[in-house]
Amino acid sequence: MAEYKQVKIGKLKLKGFSNKKKKNSKRKCQDGSESSVSSEIVPNDDAHLHGGWWPITSFDKLTGGNVAIQCYTSANLFAVDNGTLRLGSLHGGSDDGPVQEEIFTMIRLSDNKVGFKSGYGKYISVNARGDVLARSDAVGPQEQLEVVIENGKVALQGHNGYFLTFTDDGEVKSLSRVAKEKEIIFLRTNASRNKKKKLAEDDIGDVRKCEVSYVKQFQSFGDHKVKLHQGPKSSLEKARNVGKLHEAMLDRREKMKSDRYCK
């Protein structure tokens, strides 16, 4: 546990990219002790049973930050120092939040894809056998999990097309074709509910300018040139209309062989 406390939580790190920018001097507390949300608990919400950690049930609340992944048994996903994942112990009491090993940093990659980083600084990934581990140093295709929300119920789908499920032995696998009881999860967060959502720049203006701004966040400028996908911007406009602009821009970047930050 001492090692867990010493982990430095940084920004999203993409595979093949060395981030040399200065580190932000301000860091969020991993255990959430600096952000009390007890006064923000909504009536008839079960957050009071989980130390104020409330469930995310819509994409607009999928903003990133500290989260706990709760399975159908009400136990939380627990990160082990060797990179394996298992279910933690059931919590007791009416004001019992997740322990440190059950807290992950969620990074939003697109409208419905996220990455999860454990307190040991490793990202959760799904390998070819459907094993779910937290041993990756950066985010690539295997570390991208799709959040599926339907009628308020949430499930996570790996890059292999299978949903994350929990076995009777407490293991987590990405081997289920459908989302049933054992695949339904609660994504709980202690983030403030009172924060007003700012209008994103990609929600307004020309989509080509949005793409330029998006590319500048990740692209290297060794030759002082911005490299953009040459496809028509009409596809981006269609993607924005259905709320998938970020995903479309990510797909366009992945198709560019010259962009060394993508596969």
Side-chain angles (χ1 to χ4, degrees):
M1 183 174 292
E3 295 178 357
Y4 201 97
K5 293 181 180 180
Q6 296 174 2
V7 171
K8 296 180 179 180
I9 304 300
K11 293 183 178 180
L12 173 65
K13 186 191 300 181
L14 296 175
K15 286 187 175 178
F17 174 54
S18 177
N19 191 347
K20 297 183 180 179
K21 294 182 178 180
K22 293 182 179 179
K23 296 181 180 179
N24 192 335
S25 59
K26 296 182 180 180
R27 295 191 183 118
K28 292 182 180 179
C29 182
Q30 177 70 5
D31 60 7
S33 60
E34 295 182 357
S35 58
S36 174
V37 294
S38 58
S39 62
E40 300 171 11
I41 296 178
V42 177
N44 300 322
D45 196 334
D46 67 349
H48 66 284
L49 299 175
H50 301 275
W53 289 66
W54 50 274
I56 297 173
T57 56
S58 60
F59 287 109
D60 64 307
K61 300 297 184 182
L62 204 67
T63 56
N66 288 344
V67 296
I69 304 173
Q70 181 186 2
C71 81
Y72 72 102
T73 65
S74 295
N76 294 326
L77 190 63
F78 186 100
V80 185
D81 57 4
N82 62 4
T84 59
L85 298 167
R86 62 175 176 80
L87 287 180
S89 302
L90 292 176
H91 294 255
S94 61
D95 189 24
D96 199 15
V99 299
Q100 289 181 336
E101 290 85 353
E102 297 171 347
I103 298 175
F104 297 84
T105 301
M106 181 175 68
I107 299 97
R108 187 169 184 172
L109 304 172
S110 69
D111 292 316
N112 61 345
K113 290 186 179 180
V114 298
F116 294 101
K117 183 162 61 172
S118 74
Y120 297 106
K122 303 295 182 179
Y123 291 92
I124 293 179
S125 65
V126 177
N127 65 20
R129 298 186 299 274
D131 298 325
V132 183
L133 303 167
R135 294 175 177 170
S136 298
D137 293 318
V139 173
Q142 293 185 338
E143 289 73 36
Q144 297 183 29
L145 296 175
E146 181 175 349
V147 180
V148 179
I149 302 178
E150 185 175 338
N151 297 326
K153 295 183 177 180
V154 181
L156 294 174
Q157 191 173 34
H159 74 101
N160 59 357
Y162 292 91
F163 290 97
L164 269 62
T165 186
F166 297 89
T167 69
D168 295 334
D169 296 328
E171 295 181 325
V172 55
K173 300 283 186 179
S174 181
L175 295 174
S176 180
R177 292 184 178 274
V178 295
K180 294 184 179 180
E181 180 186 11
K182 290 186 177 181
E183 291 74 46
I184 300 301
I185 65 164
F186 286 96
L187 273 180
R188 294 190 177 275
T189 179
N190 65 344
S192 173
R193 303 196 205 198
N194 295 332
K195 291 182 179 179
K196 295 182 179 181
K197 185 178 179 182
K198 294 182 180 179
L199 185 63
E201 292 182 0
D202 53 25
D203 291 335
I204 57 177
D206 184 74
V207 291
R208 197 62 172 176
K209 291 182 180 179
C210 295
E211 187 174 29
V212 172
S213 176
Y214 182 78
V215 169
K216 284 183 177 180
Q217 298 180 50
F218 305 105
Q219 186 175 297
S220 173
F221 294 95
D223 55 1
H224 304 287
K225 294 181 180 179
V226 178
K227 299 179 179 65
L228 296 175
H229 191 274
Q230 298 303 313
K233 68 177 185 179
S234 58
S235 60
L236 292 178
E237 293 173 344
K238 292 179 180 179
R240 181 165 62 179
N241 292 336
V242 296
K244 294 185 177 182
L245 179 58
H246 280 250
E247 185 175 359
M249 289 190 294
L250 180 62
D251 289 341
R252 284 161 73 97
R253 288 181 58 243
E254 289 180 343
K255 293 176 182 178
M256 292 175 58
K257 296 181 180 179
S258 59
D259 189 344
R260 61 176 181 153
Y261 303 116
C262 294
K263 61 180 181 179

